[in-house]
Amino acid sequence: MNESGTLQEAYERLHRTGPEFEGWLSNHGPMAVEAMVRHGHDRDVHRWLDGYVARLDELPRGSSPVGAEEWRAALGDAGRLGDWLAFFDRELRERPWRDVLETWWPRLLPGIAAGATHGVIRTGHAVHALLQQPGQEQRDEVRLAELGQALGYWAARWQPIAAFDAPSGTADPERAIAGVPRVPDQSKGINHRLDQLAEVPGWASSVAALRPAADAEQARARLAELADAATLRYLTHAHGNPVMLVHAATAPTAVLRTLPALPPHLWNAALNAAWAASAAVTAAYAPADARRALSDVPDGPDQPEEVFELAVRHGDEHVIKLADTALDVHRRTGNPAALAAVTRAATLISPFS
C-alpha cells in the first residue's frame, strides 16, 4: 500500500475515536501518524496504532447543533464537543476547505491555548496532509474529515491566553523566550498554571518584548525562528516537564505549516498567537535553571532519518511529534542540537508500550 493509502486507513481507524480520552488527554494519534507517513515510516503506522487506539474513547455524539448565529457562545464549551465536530463535518462537506479555514482561523486563533495547544497542532497536521494532495484536496473526504475533527476540537476547547497584546519590542525569539517569567505555582494541570499568567510580574512585558513582523513574509520567517528557538531550548530545559515543553516548539510549527493555506493578511496575527502559545507553555512548565544536556546524535549524512527512526522505535507520541519539528529545524539551521533535543526527549520520556 502507498503512503497515501496508509494515512487514509489510519485516519479512518482514528475517526471512530474522540479527540480526547481519560478526561483532558488529547488524542495524538492523527498527528503522530501524519508525521510518521510523511517521514517514510508508513510501514510502522498500523503496528503503532494497534497499541494506541486501545487507550482512546469513542467519538462523542452531538446533541444540539451549533447555529450560525450562536457560535460565539458555544466557543470553549467542552460539553458541546460532539456538536462542534458535527458542525465542521457539515461545513467541510458544503464549502471548500480553504474557505472554511479562512473563515474560522481568525475566530479560533485567539483561543490558541485550546487543549494545551493541541487544537492548533492537530489543525496544522491536518492542513499539512491536505496540502500534500494538490488539486485533489476537496475530493479527499478522509483528510477533510480529519481537518473537521481538528477544528471542532479547537472550537470546543477554545481558550485565550491572559494579558497578551501584539508584540512591540526588539527581541528575537531566542531572547524573548529566555525572558519569559515562570508562574509561581507549577503544580496541577495546565489550566491552573495558565490561570496565573495575568498576575505574574513581567508576563505582559515579556510577551510584548518580541520584535513584531513588518509584513507577511517576515511573519513567516519569525515563526520559523520561534520554532527553532523553542526546539533548541528544549535540550537544556526539558527537565522542567519533558512532555509539555514539547508544545512550545510544536505549536508554532503547526501554525507555520498552516500559512500556505491562508491568505497572507492573516499571517501576522498567526505569528502573534503562536508566540503567545509558546510563551505561555514556557511560563507554565519551564524549570528554574538550565541543565547542560549531552545527548548522543548519530554521525553522518543520515542523521535526521536515524533520529526520526529512533523516535518511532521509542513510540511515545510526543517524541514523534518533537522529532517531526526538530527535523524541520535542523534542515533550516544545520544545528545538531535540534536532533539532540529528540534524543533528550527519548531519554526523559518513558517509551510507549
Side-chain angles (χ1 to χ4, degrees):
M1 177 176 290
N2 61 29
E3 294 179 1
S4 179
T6 299
L7 185 59
Q8 178 171 329
E9 286 191 354
Y11 278 162
E12 287 172 343
R13 292 181 68 180
L14 287 160
H15 290 167
R16 295 191 288 270
T17 66
E20 294 180 333
F21 63 102
E22 296 179 12
W24 270 82
L25 297 180
S26 295
N27 178 353
H28 290 70
M31 302 172 258
V33 299
E34 190 274 329
M36 291 166 68
V37 168
R38 184 160 31 83
H39 288 284
H41 284 265
D42 48 299
R43 65 189 181 277
D44 298 304
V45 163
H46 285 295
R47 174 192 53 79
W48 184 84
L49 277 179
D50 288 342
Y52 191 76
V53 295
R55 307 162 61 186
L56 304 178
D57 292 340
E58 293 183 357
L59 183 71
R61 304 299 177 186
S63 58
S64 177
V66 176
E69 302 303 321
E70 59 109 25
W71 61 266
R72 289 181 178 83
L75 279 178
D77 186 346
R80 301 192 65 184
L81 175 56
D83 298 329
W84 276 114
L85 296 177
F87 174 85
F88 280 107
D89 181 70
R90 290 193 305 273
E91 284 282 284
L92 290 162
R93 290 178 187 277
E94 296 172 0
R95 300 171 56 200
W97 72 269
R98 290 174 185 256
D99 291 354
V100 174
L101 185 66
E102 183 176 351
T103 297
W104 281 92
W105 182 262
R107 296 175 178 179
L108 296 177
L109 200 60
I112 196 169
T117 72
H118 288 106
V120 72
I121 294 172
R122 185 166 175 178
T123 297
H125 279 275
V127 168
H128 205 44
L130 282 163
L131 291 174
Q132 305 309 303
Q133 302 270 291
Q136 303 178 46
E137 309 105 302
Q138 202 59 41
R139 297 192 297 273
D140 195 325
E141 295 182 2
V142 177
R143 295 191 191 208
L144 291 173
E146 171 54 23
L147 178 59
Q149 292 212 2
L151 293 171
Y153 178 40
W154 189 353
R157 284 296 186 190
W158 189 91
Q159 182 180 6
I161 294 170
F164 173 71
D165 292 316
S168 57
T170 60
D172 61 23
E174 182 179 2
R175 285 197 297 125
I177 292 177
V180 171
R182 302 165 66 241
V183 300
D185 182 10
Q186 287 193 336
S187 66
K188 303 181 183 177
I190 190 169
N191 283 348
H192 171 70
R193 300 175 190 228
L194 296 186
D195 284 346
Q196 301 172 59
L197 286 176
E199 306 302 323
V200 174
W203 162 250
S205 60
S206 72
V207 291
L210 183 72
R211 184 169 63 249
D215 53 37
E217 286 302 324
Q218 197 171 94
R220 176 160 58 182
R222 193 134 308 138
L223 261 172
E225 293 169 4
L226 174 57
D228 296 348
T231 301
L232 298 175
R233 185 178 174 83
Y234 184 91
L235 185 60
T236 52
H237 290 76
H239 59 280
N241 190 304
V243 168
M244 293 305 298
L245 286 170
V246 164
H247 306 101
T250 56
T253 295
V255 174
L256 179 63
R257 290 174 176 172
T258 306
L259 294 188
L262 294 167
H265 72 267
L266 296 177
W267 292 8
N268 210 314
L271 164 65
N272 296 345
W275 161 235
S278 190
V281 171
T282 299
Y285 292 98
D289 58 347
R291 292 180 185 172
R292 180 66 179 169
L294 300 176
S295 296
D296 293 332
V297 176
D299 294 325
D302 296 328
Q303 280 181 313
E305 292 79 8
E306 292 179 27
V307 165
F308 196 87
E309 184 174 352
L310 177 152
V312 173
R313 289 199 311 270
H314 182 280
D316 180 83
E317 58 269 36
H318 300 92
V319 178
I320 293 170
K321 290 194 309 171
L322 181 63
D324 179 38
T325 286
L327 264 62
D328 280 2
V329 175
H330 183 260
R331 185 175 61 252
R332 284 192 295 264
T333 67
N335 191 335
L339 304 181
V342 181
T343 60
R344 177 74 168 151
T347 299
L348 294 174
I349 298 173
S350 297
F352 175 65
S353 59

